[in-house]
């Protein structure tokens, strides 16, 4: 996953400072484990839009796309040229 | 300004006029019509006369016979006579856990005054309000470091004009205690003579206290637990083993004390049993002298119950529920086999003479199974607080006007069989994104993790989220661990809104109150987010 480390770093620095990026599994549900909640999900999506230059404001968003690190990574890859920002 | 008065200080009336009180004192006649704690005092006098050499108190330094105790009470009466207190005043006593303090309390009761027993650690910022509300005349502390009884005497600043008390209250209450203050400023509770007599009578009968019984006293003197640990045994001519407050958290000391002094009744909060029966089995010697083990003040974790059951194979175990305002009201009793079978010890049944109601949030009394706030009416019920408005807020007369109930602030559940379980404090319920969330439920889930020694969940106000839950964890051992493991564990047992959003992991002990409970205020202050941090 190209963006895994970047996503983990953002989540662990900004949303869940008590979590070590190395200990954050890529497939774990971020919502049920309290790593994100409905409010911090908005922050995460805003960061993705800004960091990867994705026009988030104009898109249909499904919260399911942001429920784990690997799904966030997949979302970014789908919406960026060659999957690279 | 503190003055020191001892038994050698000249009596003020020696060569002048003499008060009735002083005459009574000289003649060693208690002023019967005004005497407080009279049942206890009569019993003590009886023990001192008929069994003078029986031991009343065992301290680390000395054994006090009933005769010596009674003599010490008389000496403190002499000291008090020189202060010439007005009739029936409230006197704050600093609750150093010594025989001298107890003798001073008894001397005050004998002279018709009311001791208000306050923690030595009571903050100076709290005292003025508390003393003004209680109408305290003066503050005394007992000592006999020089071999003779001495009291330090101080008039609360808030109540004095030119060092003379200007406003004070007289009361019929024989003893005043304070609440713990865990939910705000401590409140002064006025006990009644009838309530104390009924309680010590119940305690003596339920725990089979007789002359020759030995009771360990662990709780601070200012706690209502002292009624069972000190006053009930003294009433029966039994022996009280006083735990040295300074060493009350030293496992070696406590274990040696129980092994050598062989008490037959223990009453304490879970912290005490944790010290006595640690997880590493280092003290797992069977302590077979103990006949009754009383759990009180907090929920006993299942693992600890098992260790205690192993350590006291001969004992009957009692899980007691009560509060300062009502004293004990529910008890569950069982043997070692019985207590280890429960995931959470039940509240048990109401003590003889206790009535209770479970009231829903809508103010409707539950007729059958369900959850709600526990309201109790006990034979030991206090008169109320010294602040009438506080009394009116939690004490009420039942609709038919007969019994007075106290709103405990505790939530309980009653099942189809009528079994009661304590769910936690009413004020431990918060709303997280609109969902009612019990902080203690989360703490209990966290406590199931072997690496968690203590867990406290604190609701933190957040501008956007409303309330954000922070979990503060004390780990059992040093190990590299982050919040992810905690989150994964919580997610197995808790709904999404109950999983804390921040975890603070510590290897050092969490701050505790004097009873060993987590000091939630201090913990909450320690985790307040700094402006630069996300909540």
């Amino acid at each position: 996953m190209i963006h895994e480390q970047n996503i983990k770093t953002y989540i662990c620095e900004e949303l869940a400072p008590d979590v070590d990026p190395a200990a954050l599994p890529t497939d774990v549900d971020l919502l049920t484990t309290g790593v994100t909640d409905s409010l911090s999900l908005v922050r995460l999506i805003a960061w993705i839009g800004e960091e990867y230059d994705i026009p988030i404001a104009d898109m249909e968003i499904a919260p399911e796309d942001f429920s784990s690190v690997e799904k966030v990574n997949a979302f970014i890859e789908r919406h960026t040229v060659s999957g690279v920002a | 300004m503190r003055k020191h008065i001892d038994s050698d200080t000249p009596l003020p009336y020696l060569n002048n006029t003499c008060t009735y009180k002083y005459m009574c004192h000289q003649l060693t006649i208690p002023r019967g019509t005004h005497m407080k704690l009279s049942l206890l005092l009569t019993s003590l006098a009886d023990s001192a006369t008929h069994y003078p050499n029986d031991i009343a108190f065992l301290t680390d330094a000395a054994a006090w016979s009933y005769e010596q105790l009674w003599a010490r009470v008389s000496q403190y009466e002499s000291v008090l006579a020189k202060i010439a207190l007005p009739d029936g005043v409230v006197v704050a006593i600093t609750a150093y856990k010594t025989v001298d303090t107890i003798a001073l309390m008894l001397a005050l009761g004998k002279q018709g005054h009311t001791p208000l027993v306050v923690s030595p650690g009571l903050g100076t910022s709290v005292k003025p309000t508390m003393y003004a509300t209680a109408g305290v005349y003066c503050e005394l502390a007992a000592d006999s470091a020089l071999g003779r009884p001495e009291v330090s005497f101080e008039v609360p600043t808030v109540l004095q004009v030119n060092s003379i008390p200007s406003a004070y209250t007289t009361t019929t209450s024989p003893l005043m205690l304070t609440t713990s203050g865990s939910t705000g400023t401590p409140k002064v509770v006025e006990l009644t003579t009838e309530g104390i007599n009924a309680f010590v009578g119940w305690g003596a009968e339920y725990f089979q206290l007789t002359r020759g019984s030995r009771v360990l006293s662990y709780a601070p003197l200012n706690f209502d637990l002292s009624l069972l640990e000190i006053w009930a045994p003294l009433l029966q001519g039994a022996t009280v083993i006083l735990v040295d407050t300074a060493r009350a958290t030293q496992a070696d000391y406590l274990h040696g004390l129980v092994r050598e002094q062989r008490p037959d009744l223990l009453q304490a909060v879970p912290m005490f049993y944790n010290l006595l029966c640690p997880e590493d089995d280092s003290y797992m010697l069977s302590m077979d002298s103990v006949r009754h083990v009383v759990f009180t003040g907090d929920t006993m974790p299942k693992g600890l119950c098992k260790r205690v059951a192993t350590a006291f194979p001969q004992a009957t175990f009692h899980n007691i529920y009560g509060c300062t305002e009502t004293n004990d009201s529910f008890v569950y009793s069982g043997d070692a086999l019985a207590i280890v079978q429960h995931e959470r010890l039940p509240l048990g049944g109401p003590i003889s003479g206790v009535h209770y109601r479970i009231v829903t949030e809508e103010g409707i009394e539950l007729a059958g199974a369900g959850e709600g706030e526990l309201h109790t009416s006990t034979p030991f019920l206090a008169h109320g607080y010294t602040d009438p408005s506080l009394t009116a807020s939690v004490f009420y007369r039942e609709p038919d006007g007969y019994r007075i109930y106290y709103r405990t602030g505790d939530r309980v559940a009653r099942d189809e069989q009528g079994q009661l379980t304590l769910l936690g404090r009413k004020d431990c319920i918060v709303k997280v994104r609109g969902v009612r969330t019990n902080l203690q439920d989360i703490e209990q889930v966290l406590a199931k993790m072997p690496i968690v020694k203590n867990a406290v969940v604190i609701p933190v106000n957040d501008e956007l989220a409303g309330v954000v839950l922070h979990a503060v964890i004390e780990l059992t051992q040093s190990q590299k661990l982050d919040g992810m493991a905690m989150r994964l564990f919580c997610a197995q047992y808790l709904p999404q809104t109950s999983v804390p959003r921040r975890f603070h992991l510590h290897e050092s002990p969490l701050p505790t109150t004097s009873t060993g409970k987590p000091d939630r205020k201090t913990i909450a202050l320690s985790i307040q987010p700094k402006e630069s941090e996300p909540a």
Side-chain angles (χ1 to χ4, degrees):
Chain A
M1 287 190 285
I2 304 169
H3 310 293
E4 176 184 332
Q5 199 52 47
N6 199 27
I7 296 165
K8 283 186 174 182
T9 302
Y10 173 79
I11 289 173
C12 296
E13 283 185 358
E14 297 297 326
L15 308 182
D18 54 84
V19 176
D20 182 345
L24 177 60
T26 56
D27 60 345
V28 79
D29 191 308
L30 299 173
L31 278 165
T32 57
T33 53
V35 174
T36 59
D37 58 21
S38 52
L39 283 167
S40 59
L41 187 62
V42 174
R43 289 173 61 196
L44 175 64
I45 294 170
W47 172 78
I48 293 167
E50 196 171 308
E51 180 79 5
Y52 295 96
D53 198 21
I54 300 171
I56 293 292
D58 305 325
M59 295 171 63
E60 289 286 323
I61 297 290
E64 174 61 21
D65 285 341
F66 307 94
S67 60
S68 68
V69 172
E70 63 187 19
K71 286 183 177 174
V72 172
N73 184 78
F75 176 87
I76 294 168
E77 289 191 0
R78 281 202 306 275
H79 293 92
T80 51
V81 180
S82 308
V84 180
Chain B
M1 182 73 178
R2 209 167 250 280
K3 286 190 285 185
H4 291 270
I5 298 154
D6 65 31
S7 53
D8 291 341
T9 307
L11 292 164
Y13 307 115
L14 200 57
N15 299 312
N16 298 306
T17 56
C18 181
T19 64
Y20 163 68
K21 181 170 62 181
Y22 181 57
M23 281 173 62
C24 291
H25 165 71
Q26 286 297 86
L27 297 168
T28 64
I29 298 171
R31 292 176 303 141
T33 51
H34 301 295
M35 188 167 68
K36 290 168 179 167
L37 299 168
S38 52
L39 179 66
L40 181 61
L41 286 161
T42 306
S43 176
L44 273 180
D46 189 57
S47 291
T49 304
H50 298 291
Y51 310 106
N53 297 321
D54 278 12
I55 301 301
F57 285 106
L58 278 170
T59 70
D60 292 352
W64 288 72
S65 69
Y66 273 89
E67 185 178 41
Q68 289 171 315
L69 174 64
W70 194 242
R72 184 50 59 100
V73 173
S74 298
Q75 288 174 314
Y76 274 109
E77 278 196 278
S78 304
V79 176
L80 291 174
K82 292 160 194 166
I83 300 173
L85 301 168
D87 282 346
V89 291
V90 180
V91 176
I93 299 286
T94 310
Y96 299 118
K97 194 167 180 177
T98 62
V99 175
D100 280 283
T101 303
I102 294 162
L104 175 59
M105 289 170 64
L106 290 165
L108 282 164
K110 205 171 165 190
Q111 295 201 342
H113 306 300
T114 303
L116 161 60
V117 197
V118 296
S119 165
L122 186 67
T124 50
S125 60
V126 174
K127 275 188 183 179
T129 310
M130 183 195 281
Y131 285 6
T133 311
V136 169
Y137 181 82
C138 64
E139 183 180 11
L140 302 179
D143 193 10
S144 59
L146 300 174
R148 61 174 187 264
E150 181 180 283
V151 296
S152 57
F153 170 90
E154 191 167 14
V155 176
T157 311
V158 69
L159 299 172
Q160 64 174 265
V161 176
N162 297 330
S163 299
I164 306 293
S166 61
Y168 56 87
T169 304
T170 57
T171 174
T172 56
S173 169
L175 181 65
M176 291 185 181
L177 299 174
T178 66
T179 60
S180 66
S182 58
T183 54
T185 304
K187 297 183 276 283
V188 178
V189 181
E190 291 185 85
L191 304 188
T192 66
T193 300
E194 299 74 23
I196 292 174
N197 291 348
F199 180 74
V200 294
W202 169 78
E205 187 181 342
Y206 197 82
F207 297 106
Q208 300 138 354
L209 297 179
T210 57
R211 181 177 165 231
S213 296
R214 294 162 80 87
V215 179
L216 189 84
S217 172
Y218 186 71
L221 266 186
N222 50 304
F223 281 31
D224 57 294
L225 302 182
S226 286
L227 288 173
L228 180 61
E229 296 175 7
I230 293 177
W231 304 123
L234 288 185
L235 185 73
Q236 300 301 317
T239 299
V240 180
I241 303 158
L242 289 184
V243 172
D244 177 7
T245 310
R247 296 201 280 170
T249 55
Q250 295 176 10
D252 285 353
Y253 166 70
L254 294 176
H255 202 267
L257 198 62
V258 172
R259 211 174 37 217
E260 287 159 25
Q261 300 299 352
R262 301 181 63 77
D264 42 39
L265 168 61
L266 301 179
Q267 173 183 248
V269 292
M271 179 183 76
F272 168 83
Y273 296 107
N274 250 321
L275 291 164
L276 210 58
C277 310
E279 287 176 71
D280 62 7
D281 289 0
S282 52
Y283 295 116
M284 290 309 267
L285 293 171
S286 167
M287 289 171 268
D288 57 4
S289 73
V290 180
R291 292 185 299 124
H292 295 284
V293 175
V294 178
F295 310 136
T296 191
D298 212 340
T299 306
M300 280 286 284
K302 189 175 183 182
L304 181 56
C305 271
K306 283 183 180 172
R307 301 202 300 277
V308 174
T310 307
F312 303 103
Q314 310 295 329
T316 303
F317 301 85
H318 311 272
N319 189 37
I320 289 192
Y321 169 86
C323 37
T324 311
E325 293 85 345
T326 63
N327 216 312
D328 296 343
S329 39
F330 286 83
V331 61
Y332 164 80
S333 300
D335 61 14
L337 277 176
I339 63 159
V340 298
Q341 288 171 0
H342 297 280
E343 200 56 45
R344 190 190 295 189
L345 289 177
L347 275 189
I351 288 170
S352 176
V354 171
H355 297 263
Y356 74 96
R357 313 171 72 202
I358 300 175
V359 180
T360 65
E361 280 188 8
E362 293 75 31
I364 299 164
E365 182 177 354
L366 274 182
E371 291 182 19
E373 185 186 3
L374 179 65
H375 297 188
T376 55
S377 177
T378 76
F380 328 127
L381 198 68
H383 175 67
Y385 305 114
T386 50
D387 180 342
S389 63
L390 287 175
T391 304
S393 68
V394 288
F395 288 85
Y396 68 93
R397 196 172 285 277
E398 70 179 338
D400 69 8
Y402 178 59
R403 290 192 185 87
I404 293 176
Y405 279 83
Y406 169 70
R407 295 186 177 95
T408 64
D410 286 325
R411 289 177 59 253
V412 295
R414 182 166 53 199
D415 64 18
E416 297 293 347
Q417 287 72 45
Q419 185 87 272
L420 291 187
T421 306
L422 182 65
L423 299 176
R425 289 292 300 169
K426 197 175 151 198
D427 46 26
C428 279
I429 305 292
V430 296
K431 281 205 169 182
V432 180
R433 293 191 286 289
V435 180
R436 275 170 55 86
T437 305
N438 187 338
L439 303 179
Q440 290 177 330
D441 285 348
I442 306 170
E443 289 167 2
Q444 280 163 15
V445 165
L446 287 164
K448 288 180 181 173
M449 293 184 80
I451 52 162
V452 172
K453 188 168 187 181
N454 283 303
V456 173
V457 177
I458 305 281
V460 176
N461 289 327
D462 181 80
E463 198 176 331
L464 287 173
V467 167
V468 170
L469 301 181
H470 288 229
V472 185
I473 311 281
E474 177 188 344
L475 301 169
T476 52
Q477 53 192 296
S478 172
Q479 57 182 281
K480 187 165 170 55
L481 195 77
D482 74 340
M484 199 63 223
M486 302 283 171
R487 290 162 190 279
L488 289 167
F489 188 83
C490 285
Q492 292 178 58
Y493 300 99
L494 294 169
Q496 186 183 322
T497 47
S498 293
V499 178
R501 214 171 97 189
R502 286 285 292 274
F503 286 83
H504 307 262
L505 307 180
H506 301 278
E507 289 170 13
S508 52
L510 301 182
T512 55
T513 64
S514 56
T515 53
K517 292 182 182 179
D519 184 345
R520 291 176 184 272
K521 283 184 197 167
T522 304
I523 295 169
L525 283 173
S526 73
I527 59 157
Q528 288 304 316
K530 297 175 181 66
E531 285 183 13
S532 57
E533 287 183 358

